[in-house]
Amino acid sequence: MSYREVSDVRDGMRIDWDAPIPMDDGVVLRSDVYRPVAEGRWPVILTYGPYGKWLHFDDLYKDQWRIMCETHPEVPTGSTNKYQCWEVVDPEKWVPDGYVVVRVDSRGCGRSPGVLDIWSGREARDLAACVEWAGVQPWSSGKVGLNGISYYAMNQWQCAALQPKHLAAICTWEGAADFYRDMARHGGILCNGFVDGWSRSQVYTLQNGRGTRGFRSRMTGDWVSGPETLTEEELGANRRDFTSDCVAARLDTDPYWRSRMPDWSKVETPLLSAANWGGQGLHPRGNFEGFVRAASSQKWLECHGLEHWTHFYTDYGVALQKRFFGHFLKGEDTGWSEQPRVLLQVRHVGERYVPRAESEWPLARTRWTALHLDPGGFALSEAPPAEDARVTYAGLGDGVTFMTPPLERETEITGPIAAKLFVSSSTEDADLFLVVRAFAPDMKEVVFQGALDPHTPIAQGWLRVSHRKLDPALSRPYRPYHTHDESQPMVPGEIYEVDVEVWPTCVVLPKGYRVALSVRGRDYQWGGEPAGGLETLGRGWTGVGPFRHDDPRDRPPRVFGGDVTLHAGPQRPAHLLLPIIP
């Protein structure tokens, strides 16, 4: 087997290809180092992940690259774009500013050998070791920053909790933090649509050992997934099956999840957490939780819209990142000392975003407003119903929708949302899919360009009723926190009080619009024609993108297909708690 291990000067950069990074167990990971041609010591921007350091953005993510370049022409401007990779920085926009960019293929992926185990504790230790390696190289100033989207953001929380001494700052751009709650098991319900589709199309396709059956790199002309070509059986033996692990690990107390959860008390690194309002199903929750719960005294939150990958590459996103890293990695006066602790791109109908500085999250001036459910009139109102009422729907069906009268004034909803419901079932369990929606005066639903799906509702929440147990220390009225440490089956016909976490959101609705809450027995479905989707994550999206929860192993009809009844009345104040900003 041969690795490249050569150093080229190209496009104003010195590039060290396949630079070896030894791990403590003898595995040697492979990295590419993009650095200034001149001798010197420079701060480092590092990523570690499975998407192939030699795979060009356009080779697997054609739709995303094309859409981004067409709608944001500043992205490809000022670069040859030869070294563009999915969800990591373009070195041609960082090296000229005096940074070294290091891309590491994670264990078992791309050019790095080993057993592939997605987001494992082993991967977190690898990343910390890579930080320490980068911190002592002759071209390094000793200050290392982590910066990337999604996978390259999610493992930053884990790495920061390990406290490698050369880690100086992290920028977690749209990065989940709790793999159970944020991604694999929303409210205890398996999100099979994502964990299965994503792992097979975006990770296993780049597993180390695919060799000549994988991608040929347009950067080097060599094989993206290593010099060795293994059989499918050998590849399978070299990886944990992510979907099987997510199916098997039903409770958050399973060692599988515990080993992947960052210890927030040890996340002390200066951090910028950048969320996406439209990331329902994967990315906003962890960015807010990480910002609130990390022990760091130097932490900032930003939240934006548009597609999941876009703003990281726009002039807006790159400038934000460079101001942050210039401050913490270079000690430059970038103006970061005046950066508001919270910067929100406030979302308006029509995909309009207005920047606004805030001081905290949730916003201190929030007027928490309970809108009560009236099953008799399918209404949402500030006054609870005067008499007991109930409504029944099929446990695997489209459920019921409650709606406000037309809003009397323009109304901003910004923050986390919660719902209190009183539920009974004809079977031993029920899955609740909550969707906060908006309707125009003509009763046409208002949806937004989500991180993935172009027809994303305002907010969503999920709960398996047998997982209703709350953590009293972590729960807040506006953000119930479920332990997911045991299953408590329902007694058919008995009424249970449940609190449902609905993920944070932001929207300004004009006067005359309506707010609605749908309580469903299955995923939200937008009423129009399905969207095309993206080649890496499937086609025919209907409002939730790839974040579907329809695995019959997890939701057998005999358990979840009964009749579900919602109850409300003077003694059962079922309501939706909204964060209204005055």
Side-chain angles (χ1 to χ4, degrees), residues 86 127 141-142 148 172 201 214-215 225 244 269 297 336 339 347 378 394 437 515 562:
W86 176 242
L127 176 52
S141 71
T172 59
S201 67
F215 292 89
S225 294
S244 297
T269 311
S297 61
W336 193 259
Q339 177 74 12
R347 183 168 63 174
F378 299 103
R437 306 164 70 183
V515 177

Side-chain angles (χ1 to χ4, degrees), residues 270-292:
L271 67 92
L272 169 60
S273 178
N276 187 317
W277 299 122
Q280 300 292 319
L282 184 58
H283 284 311
R285 183 186 186 276
N287 284 105
F288 291 107
E289 287 284 308
F291 171 74
V292 171

Side-chain angles (χ1 to χ4, degrees), residues 2 5 16 28 91 134 153 245 251 270 297 331-332 344-345 372 393 398 429 444 456 484 533 550 564-565 570:
S2 62
E5 287 195 37
D16 305 325
V28 176
D245 285 337
L251 298 176
S297 61
E332 294 177 346
L344 305 180
Q345 299 291 333
H372 292 83
Y393 63 89
D398 291 335
D429 213 343
K444 183 177 181 180
T456 300
H484 299 295
D550 54 10
V564 176
T565 302

Side-chain angles (χ1 to χ4, degrees), residues 352-387:
R352 183 170 65 90
Y353 294 86
V354 180
R356 189 174 72 209
E358 298 287 353
S359 303
E360 71 287 305
W361 182 269
L363 307 188
R365 67 183 183 281
T366 303
R367 193 174 74 234
W368 299 102
T369 302
L371 297 181
H372 292 83
L373 279 63
D374 180 0
F378 299 103
L380 276 179
S381 61
E382 295 196 26
E387 297 180 354

